[in-house]
Amino acid sequence: FSNWSGAYRYDGKSFTKMDGLSNNPVTRIIEDKKGNLWFGGGGRGICRYDPNRAVGQTYTCFTTKDGLINNDVWSILEDKSGNFWVGTRNTGLCRYDPRRAVGKTFTSFSE
């Protein structure tokens, strides 16, 4: 689950804070078709958690430096084609295409 200071994992007995998400707010969490978890939050952009990667390499984060229109993320959805649609606060919508070359993965839509 998420709250305004990161995200926590429940193992059936107790909650533990997920490393790698710092203390920024997490406003959305989704699981993609491959079993990765995607976190969006206030000021942090989006982060993909891959449970199959080696410890310390489990997160890949994307911010405005990577082409995201705004780091204040309020929604994330995956479509049938594997694109991720990211709704941001007051600035519009981005589509993230993981199949495209690095640096050309985000397309922004606004009024």
Side-chain angles (χ1 to χ4, degrees):
F1 78 91
S2 70
N3 69 10
W4 291 106
S5 64
Y8 295 80
R9 178 184 304 184
Y10 182 67
D11 64 7
K13 297 178 185 176
S14 62
F15 290 95
T16 55
K17 189 166 184 129
M18 294 186 72
D19 294 334
L21 293 175
S22 70
N23 288 324
N24 288 337
V26 174
T27 56
R28 292 294 178 259
I29 303 172
I30 69 162
E31 182 176 2
D32 69 18
K33 297 172 191 172
K34 296 177 181 178
N36 298 309
L37 296 177
W38 291 80
F39 298 89
R44 76 169 314 113
I46 59 173
C47 292
R48 178 182 62 222
Y49 172 78
D50 183 346
N52 298 313
R53 284 184 136 183
V55 174
Q57 300 177 352
T58 53
Y59 290 95
T60 304
C61 296
F62 304 95
T63 66
T64 54
K65 292 178 184 177
D66 302 297
L68 187 62
I69 195 169
N70 187 313
N71 288 334
D72 288 329
V73 173
W74 290 98
S75 60
I76 308 170
L77 292 170
E78 181 181 17
D79 67 21
K80 292 179 184 179
S81 299
N83 295 307
F84 293 88
W85 294 86
V86 181
T88 62
R89 184 177 180 182
N90 300 324
T91 52
L93 179 70
C94 282
R95 181 183 64 220
Y96 171 72
D97 183 348
R99 298 169 302 259
R100 295 183 74 184
V102 174
K104 297 183 179 186
T105 53
F106 287 96
T107 304
S108 298
F109 302 90
S110 61
E111 289 186 272

